[in-house]
Amino acid sequence: MRDIRNIAVIAHVDHGKTTLVDQLLKQSGTFSAHQNVDERVMDSNAIEKERGITILSKNTAIDYEGVRINIIDTPGHADFGGEVERVLKMVDSVLLLVDAQEGVMPQTKFVVKKALSLGHRPIVVVNKIDKPAAEPDRVVDEVFDLFAQMDATEEQLEFPVIYAAARDGYARYDATDGNMDFKPLYDTILKEVPKPNGADENGLQLQVFTLDYDNFIGKIGIARIFNGTISHGETVLLCKADGEKVKGRVSKLIGFKGLDRIDIKTAGSGDIVAVAGFETIDVGDSLCDPTNPMPLDPMHIEEPTLSVTFSVNDSPLAGTEGKYVTSNKIDERLKAEMNTNIAMNYEQIGEGKFKVNGRGELQITILAENMRREGFEFCIGRPEVIIREENGVKMEPFEHLVIDTPDEHSGAIIEKLGKRKAVMTNMVPMGEGFTRLEFEIPARGLIGIRTEFLTDTRGEGVMNHSFLEFRPYSGTVESRKYGALVSMENGEALAYSIFNLQDRGVMFVKPQDKVYIGMVVGQHAKDNDLDVNPIKGKQQSNVRSSGADEAIKLIPPRVMSLENALEWIEEDESVEVTPISIRVRKRELDPTVRKRTAKKEKNA
């Protein structure tokens, strides 16, 4: 049997997981000398490259001193917690990365809790020790305290520590020992990560932890073999989570090496492989020996906490910028997404309307961003948290929120979050003029707060949150303080009218932008909505007046990204998303109908 080690890289977002995997690949000689390799090579998706974040867990394999090391790079964002949870069941240990300056963050706690509960003994990598304000010793103490808090066993508390600067490509046993390559990390992996227990002689037990899709071969299950062997063309039994059993043939067996996927004939216990040939394969399903099936326990996957409504675009500009505009196309695309994305689900809730449930705003906006790049046109409503009932009590999701802010802004932040039903649980001075604040807050209180938070902290604040638990409903939460400036005409916005509207609030449109009745063209300075005319031109006459031709000075409009727009809108508004534009609009375009509805709600 081959010598194998299976390991996952876990950490809070932006602590350097993907950069570390890059170096592991490069220094193991996986890439040939002439091969030109991108930075953060594992982030292959266009949005991952742009934002510098990992969205999907990905696996790779390297050979080092005759040992095959399977590595899985995981996402750090709380919204993708479902991905991390599944991956941890497939490995025998984890590399826990912690930033030498920032220390333990909310997502670190989330992933550590999962890893320790599965009995893994992590290798702690204190990364970014080259930062000027790095304090590796403090961070190791923080990690130890965290493990103790999570009821780690004696063995888990004896964790090995490696100090690294992944970007510069070195790892050390001691932060000051001067070593300049990754050898200490490879050696620690070989020494500390247990070999897979399981044997090729046993009956087949393979479990799927993530899905892929290929237009030619259909659904692909990426899985770990816990026992036995599997071969191309072999007939095996697919055991589903609900107890259903289906016989099928392995039409393709794929192995991993570096960034390449290689067709292989056979694989044995401990290997991580991709299997095709089963249309109904799903995450958590097992493939077993048909003569003596022993399926593995299905996985528990965290439930979605947020939902948004996707609907067909019905604005006057519908169909002018996108390729796919019908409800059938949107339905097909959502169905394809659910084929591979297990943490989301959707249902049709009316003609051309789909309710999509996910783990957070980021996860849903990334789906919307991918769809618009593919040529889709649609509308998205305001995100709403999923509320459930337990024993007659309304329950809603709560989040653990950690904020690092300059000292002078902490008062304003605490006051603002207090209005959103947040309870402060901790306040720690971080040095260098920064304070760390920790809160427990209803997930509803986080919708629409990011933009305000960045404004309040002058762009210097950092905000992170992770799912805590469902708790009893906490009453109404304050939302947007300002009204909207709503267009009452169809046409193109003119500089003259925008200039006159600037005093009323912040504009979202610039001259020559197309506008229509019911489209939101700006944020009102007061708390009520105001109907305005952005296409009104200057009256021409042949009488000259003094001051007639004063130069018009326009303030640049606020450019709405998809996230900003979703955070900004209220319940009676939606975001029109096309491959070219993102527009905010009233759900009901007709002003008279809007007023009638508002009156009814007031009297109700």
Side-chain angles (χ1 to χ4, degrees):
M1 184 180 155
R2 286 193 311 165
D3 203 352
I4 294 175
R5 301 286 188 282
N6 289 321
I7 195 157
V9 187
I10 59 173
H12 182 78
V13 62
D14 211 22
H15 279 193
K17 295 180 292 300
T18 306
T19 310
L20 182 95
V21 175
D22 272 8
Q23 287 296 344
L24 285 169
L25 284 164
K26 283 176 187 162
Q27 295 196 25
S28 64
T30 303
F31 300 134
S32 47
H34 63 272
Q35 206 167 335
N36 185 18
V37 181
D38 287 349
E39 245 185 75
R40 296 198 325 278
V41 67
M42 296 292 283
D43 285 346
S44 49
N45 170 317
I47 297 180
E48 290 182 319
K49 282 194 162 72
E50 281 166 33
R51 300 185 185 211
I53 59 171
T54 301
I55 295 168
L56 305 164
S57 58
K58 304 186 188 59
N59 40 315
T60 180
I62 58 175
D63 291 320
Y64 180 76
E65 293 186 355
V67 180
R68 164 61 56 98
I69 304 174
N70 288 316
I71 305 168
I72 307 179
D73 179 22
T74 64
H77 265 279
D79 289 13
F80 309 110
E83 289 266 336
V84 182
E85 200 176 348
R86 302 197 301 271
V87 162
L88 291 179
K89 291 199 169 162
M90 298 298 131
V91 294
D92 302 306
S93 182
V94 293
L95 290 183
L96 170 66
L97 253 75
V98 191
D99 185 302
Q101 183 178 335
E102 289 182 7
V104 170
M105 295 292 277
Q107 198 61 18
T108 319
K109 293 181 182 174
F110 173 83
V111 291
V112 164
K113 189 176 175 185
K114 301 281 182 213
L116 293 178
S117 66
L118 290 167
H120 294 322
R121 175 167 168 256
I123 296 171
V124 174
V125 180
V126 180
N127 194 22
K128 307 194 183 185
I129 57 169
D130 54 330
K131 275 188 171 181
E135 297 177 77
D137 296 342
R138 167 182 67 86
V139 171
V140 173
D141 291 345
E142 274 184 25
V143 173
F144 184 85
D145 293 345
L146 174 67
F147 280 30
Q149 202 182 321
M150 301 275 183
D151 299 327
T153 61
E154 288 294 319
E155 191 194 356
Q156 285 171 330
L157 286 170
E158 295 281 311
F159 53 83
V161 180
I162 292 287
Y163 301 90
R167 192 190 57 188
D168 300 336
Y170 62 81
R172 298 168 175 177
Y173 291 114
D174 185 291
T176 53
D177 70 12
N179 182 59
M180 290 311 287
D181 62 18
F182 254 36
K183 190 173 186 323
L185 184 54
Y186 291 117
D187 293 344
T188 307
I189 291 173
L190 298 194
K191 182 173 150 219
E192 301 289 350
V193 177
K195 292 184 180 181
N197 43 19
D200 288 358
E201 301 77 60
N202 298 345
L204 174 66
Q205 281 183 311
L206 167 151
Q207 190 165 33
V208 177
F209 65 90
T210 188
L211 297 172
D212 206 345
Y213 194 82
D214 184 291
N215 290 337
F216 298 105
I217 53 178
K219 246 185 183 183
I220 301 170
I222 297 173
R224 166 165 173 185
I225 304 170
F226 285 90
N227 267 308
T229 59
I230 189 166
S231 306
H232 177 253
E234 187 183 348
T235 300
V236 293
L237 192 67
L238 169 66
C239 303
K240 302 199 57 69
D242 58 8
E244 187 193 344
K245 293 183 168 61
V246 189
K247 265 193 178 177
R249 216 177 120 263
V250 179
S251 64
K252 212 171 180 53
L253 190 62
I254 303 163
F256 298 92
K257 173 79 193 284
L259 301 179
D260 302 324
R261 293 184 168 197
I262 315 147
D263 283 359
I264 53 176
K265 288 280 172 271
T266 181
S269 177
D271 271 325
I272 289 179
V273 292
V275 181
F278 302 87
E279 251 324 290
T280 58
I281 202 163
D282 237 323
V283 167
D285 292 353
S286 305
L287 291 182
C288 303
D289 180 351
T291 55
N292 178 21
M294 287 165 38
L296 294 151
D297 292 341
M299 296 182 190
H300 158 72
I301 286 148
E302 291 210 346
E303 293 168 33
T305 54
L306 200 72
S307 74
V308 300
T309 305
F310 279 60
S311 57
V312 171
N313 184 12
D314 60 355
S315 87
L317 301 175
T320 55
E321 296 174 358
K323 225 176 2 176
Y324 309 116
V325 292
T326 61
S327 66
N328 291 357
K329 283 286 181 195
I330 296 173
D331 190 17
E332 266 173 39
R333 177 63 180 82
L334 291 175
K335 200 171 275 164
E337 182 69 23
M338 304 311 147
N339 266 340
T340 57
N341 191 339
I342 184 100
M344 290 175 96
N345 56 53
Y346 85 106
E347 57 184 326
Q348 188 153 358
I349 53 169
E351 188 57 46
K353 283 190 172 178
F354 306 92
K355 185 179 179 186
V356 177
N357 303 319
R359 293 274 303 125
E361 276 177 76
L362 180 69
Q363 193 189 32
I364 288 167
T365 49
I366 281 173
L367 165 63
E369 183 64 45
N370 276 326
M371 285 173 67
R372 90 180 258 235
R373 290 177 184 208
E374 291 159 22
F376 282 86
E377 219 179 86
F378 51 93
C379 284
I380 313 185
R382 183 170 195 246
E384 289 168 7
V385 299
I386 294 170
I387 290 170
R388 61 186 193 197
E389 210 162 284
E390 286 179 18
N391 308 326
V393 181
K394 258 169 90 175
M395 307 287 275
E396 67 170 332
F398 269 68
E399 302 262 336
H400 174 222
L401 172 68
V402 176
I403 280 176
D404 289 348
T405 170
D407 297 344
E408 66 267 26
H409 303 309
S410 56
I413 298 293
I414 293 166
E415 185 190 350
K416 181 155 280 183
L417 288 168
K419 289 178 181 167
R420 289 171 174 257
K421 298 276 194 294
V423 176
M424 188 156 79
T425 54
N426 202 0
M427 183 173 183
V428 190
M430 292 285 290
E432 295 200 350
F434 272 75
T435 303
R436 176 166 291 178
L437 308 170
E438 297 193 29
F439 298 90
E440 290 177 359
I441 181 170
R444 285 177 302 140
L446 287 170
I447 295 174
I449 199 171
R450 196 171 290 273
T451 318
E452 282 184 37
F453 169 75
L454 287 171
T455 311
D456 291 345
T457 58
R458 305 224 159 83
E460 291 185 43
V462 180
M463 178 167 136
N464 291 288
H465 53 90
S466 60
F467 175 68
L468 198 58
E469 62 188 351
F470 275 85
R471 290 186 185 170
Y473 192 76
S474 59
T476 53
V477 167
E478 183 189 86
S479 58
R480 193 175 85 207
K481 292 202 288 283
Y482 303 102
L485 298 175
V486 187
S487 170
M488 49 200 235
E489 295 289 345
N490 293 330
E492 281 190 4
L494 294 177
Y496 176 75
S497 51
I498 292 176
F499 174 68
N500 288 327
L501 291 172
Q502 282 177 166
D503 300 340
R504 296 299 182 96
V506 182
M507 300 306 291
F508 298 163
V509 294
K510 59 184 188 301
Q512 266 82 56
D513 277 359
K514 290 178 178 153
V515 297
Y516 52 82
I517 296 169
M519 177 173 152
V520 175
V521 293
Q523 175 177 292
H524 194 194
K526 296 181 178 168
D527 62 1
N528 61 314
D529 290 351
L530 187 68
D531 286 333
V532 296
N533 182 354
I535 69 165
K536 185 173 156 197
K538 186 179 179 189
Q539 291 299 321
Q540 299 295 332
S541 76
N542 56 4
V543 179
R544 292 189 62 176
S545 61
S546 62
D549 296 317
E550 283 177 1
I552 288 177
K553 288 190 176 68
L554 292 183
I555 300 165
R558 182 190 293 175
V559 178
M560 283 294 213
S561 70
L562 191 51
E563 276 100 337
N564 296 43
L566 270 187
E567 283 186 350
W568 189 85
I569 59 175
E570 284 295 342
E571 279 173 26
D572 65 335
E573 294 157 350
S574 60
V575 182
E576 180 185 348
V577 182
T578 78
I580 299 167
S581 322
I582 286 170
R583 305 183 185 97
V584 180
R585 51 166 282 187
K586 288 290 180 187
R587 198 174 289 171
E588 183 49 70
L589 298 177
D590 187 334
T592 46
V593 177
R594 273 206 310 278
K595 281 177 184 136
R596 201 179 306 139
T597 315
K599 208 175 251 177
K600 268 186 200 161
E601 282 172 6
K602 205 173 180 183
N603 296 334

